[in-house]
Amino acid sequence: MTVVRTWHARRRARERLLESLLMLAALVSVAVTVAIVYVLVAESMAFFDSVGFAEFVADSQWTPLFEDAHYGIGVLLSATLTCTAVALAVALPVGGWIAIYLSEFASPAIRDIAKPLLELLGAVPTIVYGYFALMFVTPLLRYLIPGLPGFNLLSAGIVMGIMIIPYVSSLSEDAMRAVPMALREASCAMGASRLQTALGVVVPSAAAGIASACVLAVSRAMGETMIVAIAAGSQARLGYDPTESAATLTSYIVQVALGDVDQGGIAYRTVFVAGLALMLLTLTMNVASHVLRQRFLRASVR
Amino acid sequence: MDEGDDIHIGRHLQRRRRLEIVFVAAGLLCLILGMLTLVTLFAEMARQGLPRLGIDFLSRYPSRHAELAGILPAWVGSLAVMVVTAATAVPLGVGAAVYLEEYAPRNLITALIEINLTNLAGMPSIVFGLMALGIFVFEFGLGRNILTAGLTLALLILPIIIVTAREALRTVPDSLREAAFACGASPWQALRDHVVPAAGPGILTGIIIGLARAIGETAPLIALGAVSFVSFLPESPIRGEFPFISFDWLSAPFTALPVQMFNWTTRPDPDFRANAAAAAFVLVAMALAINGLAIWLRHRMRREARW
């Protein structure tokens, strides 16, 4: 009897140990988030010890590496927003159109071929897209728009837009396919064409889901680093003109990481401040996307 | 209804049909546009890079002379970093997935972990690089080497592995678990011997997709402080004398294929463009091969689905 009992006890102890080990693995992801927030906030706090928050928000120059240092985050933000807007101007119509076509018109055979091929667009390493933007798209654009600088936000934004097409198309298509067939049947029974049904019934019903996909794509575009680091230039410049060269939040981080900047100095801390701004921006987008998606799911259950 | 109405309706229907054809054609065009970009990208890379690509390119060290430069330390570095990444991310990711799917009680902590995973999956990769710089390099003093680079990429792909592994575990029917329990297996035994192997192909697909993502990732490595001019290889992990295995390579300064490519792309000298294109070619070939493997696995899995 005692043999069985100790065997049982040992087995139970082992089970408990393994369960706690697995739980520890699950908690690693929480630790990563804590570490990210800790690093970014701690370094930013140190930064704000010497730079006023008002200057940070309102200054129209960003020159931490110069003698006459200015720290206006709005400069980097303006470039990030401009680039994202260009990317969205490409990805939204193209990705949306692809989604409507694949969900409402395409035969299953075409859909089966097109979807994995579209996923490939998202699987190309972003550094390769950066190369493509600089070596192919920029010369092409300079041919079309004379006087365009060799580094510009337009080229980076367009290529970024192509990169996020699968995010827009794939998630939007999922949302449209989740619209109940009865709605389409009702619409067609009223005499609407397939196109009228698609644009007038399916797209509005899936609007929250499509919006969720787009917001997620925006978040991706904002955090994208290598394309802008290669193709958009490194000069921090306040403005919303996509034909100019400008440093974004992400490309500034790369620029400093590559250079010989004194670690622990204030110039170095700006990297973490830019990182914090970037994290807050993408976090807001991700939460918005999540909320929209939940709204869509709740609506489609009804 | 007179004849005039008929013609009117007929014309209206015709216009409607034409509009639909235009719309569908435009949809196809958008699709083709995306594909065309991919083709152009590959063609451009091949045009610029193929002349440089050869056994010499793979077996040489970087050089100031574009024609003499190679990617030996870069691809060896990428491989070494991937080994660390896989060795860290696979046990952590699969372990976390198993815990969340099979053990986790429905409580606040579990909900917190779930929200946190969604959040991490959407975090820009460069933020992971900054985190690694602050924690691994400054706080822990681990240095900027293969170990920290591998760990950073492991944390980056952790959400991908966890999410796909959980989906795979969810497809395993409860009857399998119940059968194992009925035979006297403990929860761990049921998992180790039945549930996890049954979900194996799905878990493997997630691991492969994660590694494919990691191999092309550049930004976190640059934030971490990758060196782009390495003219030596990390020490060999195998030694001639006792204890035969060495982990010195973990603390070697690192470069990686995408970092080397970035360096060549940003050089003003146009001679290096061909090098960048050739490196891109190797990189894309590696990423596509890994992704292809995942697609093939998923396809086979669907064919051999047992439940």
Side-chain angles (χ1 to χ4, degrees), chain B residues 109-147:
Chain B
I109 297 175
T110 310
L112 197 79
I113 296 176
E114 305 245 359
I115 294 169
N116 178 57
L117 273 176
T118 340
N119 168 35
L120 269 189
M123 197 83 83
S125 61
I126 195 157
V127 171
F128 282 86
L130 290 177
M131 184 274 285
L133 184 67
I135 298 288
F136 294 151
V137 178
F138 292 155
E139 295 271 333
F140 296 171
L142 291 176
R144 302 153 192 260
N145 48 36
I146 290 175
L147 177 69

Side-chain angles (χ1 to χ4, degrees), chain A residues 132 136, chain B residues 35-45:
Chain A
F132 183 65
F136 187 83
Chain B
M35 299 304 107
L36 213 64
T37 314
L38 267 185
V39 173
T40 319
L41 198 151
F42 292 143
E44 172 74 6
M45 259 169 14

